[in-house]
Structure formats: C-alpha cells, structure tokens
Amino acid sequence: MSDILIYAFFGVILAIIFALIYLQNAQFSRKFGAYAQAIDKLAKENFTLKKRVEELGAAFKLMTSSNLNASNLNMEKLSPIIDAKVSEALKNGVAPIIESLEKMEFKQGEFQSEQRDRMYSLEEKAQTIGKITPPNFASEEDKIEEMYRKGYAPEDIARDLRVSVGRVNMVLKFRKVL
C-alpha cells in the first residue's frame, strides 16, 4: 500500500514538472511568435525602402539626363550614402531583436538543463525510497521464503527485494525449501 502511495506521489511530481515545462514552452512560443512578426514587419519595411530607393535613383537619373547638369548630382556618390543609411537603419532595428532571440534560446537551454537535473534527482530519490523494505516482515529471509512459497521465481524475488539471486538461493537452501 505504501509503495502505491510513493508511486502516486512521484507521479504527481512528474506531472507537475511536465506541466511547468509545457507552460514555459508555451510562453517561449508566444514570445518567439511576437519576435517573428516583428522581423516580418521589418523585412516588409526593408523591401519598401529598397523599392523607394530604386525609384528615387531612377528619378535622379532622369533628372540628370534631361535637365540637370551631371556635375550637380552624381549618382555614384549618392548611391553608397543611401545604401549605408538603409543598412544602418536595418542594423539598428533587427540587431536588438536577434540579440533578444539569442538570450531567449540561452534561457530556454538553461531551463531545460535545470529540469533535466531535477528529473535525475527525483529518479535517484525514488530509487533510494524503493530500497527501503516494509517493516511488516521479521527479516529478509522470512520475506524470501514467503515469496517463494507464493510461487515467485528466485530471479523475481531477487529483483523485488534488490538482493542477488545467489543470496535468494542460499536462503532457500538453508531453510530447506529448495
């Protein structure tokens, strides 16, 4: 009966841990989705800006070829300046988002590592609790003999009591049961 309570207790603990992991993952997914939307928006703005720069470049070429003097408006000098400004604006807008995503990935990794360590710790505690024998038998030998008389094989008895098969056979032979 106490074994069932212990297993139920660990089952509840494992369910709570999995629920926490699920909630953390859901929160991460929501934040990641928001960042993805922001990146999509920046990509659209980048496309719009590049299109606008191309239109302005075409307009400047028309103006220089038709009415204006080429010395007043030099496209070779203007184009790198515009490209640098656009690149700087994109870098200032996208770099913080990428940095935030990297921080989130690092935190998620730390959380998973922490949960894994907790699971190992719980498994170790469960194994040590499982090694405790119930106090309702006078000795281990009595338990071995009783289980054998109930039809358990020596290997099953050894596994359940966490003793060697040789020990089980020795006790059964000593008590002249086997």
Side-chain angles (χ1 to χ4, degrees):
M1 180 66 174
S2 64
D3 287 341
I4 293 172
L5 290 174
I6 291 171
Y7 289 128
F9 174 72
F10 283 110
V12 168
I13 288 175
L14 286 174
I16 290 171
I17 289 172
F18 284 126
L20 288 174
I21 290 170
Y22 175 76
L23 290 174
Q24 186 72 15
N25 194 17
Q27 182 182 7
F28 177 77
S29 295
R30 282 193 303 270
K31 287 182 180 179
F32 191 77
Y35 285 119
Q37 287 177 348
I39 289 172
D40 286 342
K41 183 179 176 185
L42 288 172
K44 287 178 184 176
E45 288 178 8
N46 181 30
F47 177 76
T48 306
L49 284 174
K50 283 185 177 181
K51 203 172 188 183
R52 184 70 178 139
V53 166
E54 289 174 3
E55 291 172 1
L56 287 174
F60 280 123
K61 283 183 181 179
L62 274 174
M63 289 171 49
T64 56
S65 65
S66 61
N67 294 336
L68 293 175
N69 197 347
S71 63
N72 291 338
L73 202 53
N74 191 348
M75 284 304 291
E76 283 85 28
K77 291 181 180 178
L78 187 59
S79 181
I81 294 171
I82 292 173
D83 286 342
K85 296 270 184 189
V86 168
S87 296
E88 183 180 336
L90 286 175
K91 189 187 307 179
N92 291 339
V94 174
I97 293 173
I98 292 173
E99 185 178 320
S100 296
L101 286 172
E102 289 171 349
K103 286 180 183 177
M104 285 176 53
E105 286 179 13
F106 179 74
K107 290 289 184 182
Q108 181 71 14
E110 284 180 341
F111 178 76
Q112 286 177 344
S113 175
E114 181 181 322
Q115 294 305 317
R116 194 174 308 115
D117 292 343
R118 286 182 182 175
M119 290 291 290
Y120 290 141
S121 175
L122 284 174
E123 287 175 359
E124 289 174 4
K125 289 178 182 177
Q127 288 176 354
T128 58
I129 289 174
K131 291 181 182 177
I132 299 172
T133 57
N136 58 354
F137 289 95
S139 69
E140 185 178 80
E141 289 87 10
D142 292 337
K143 174 102 178 180
I144 290 171
E145 184 178 348
E146 182 178 330
M147 289 177 76
Y148 184 76
R149 291 187 189 279
K150 286 183 179 180
Y152 285 88
E155 293 81 13
D156 295 333
I157 296 170
R159 185 185 59 235
D160 289 347
L161 297 180
R162 299 189 197 292
V163 295
S164 69
V165 176
R167 169 106 171 108
V168 172
N169 287 330
M170 182 192 73
V171 169
L172 293 174
K173 286 178 184 176
F174 182 72
R175 293 200 173 193
K176 296 179 182 168
V177 177
L178 202 118

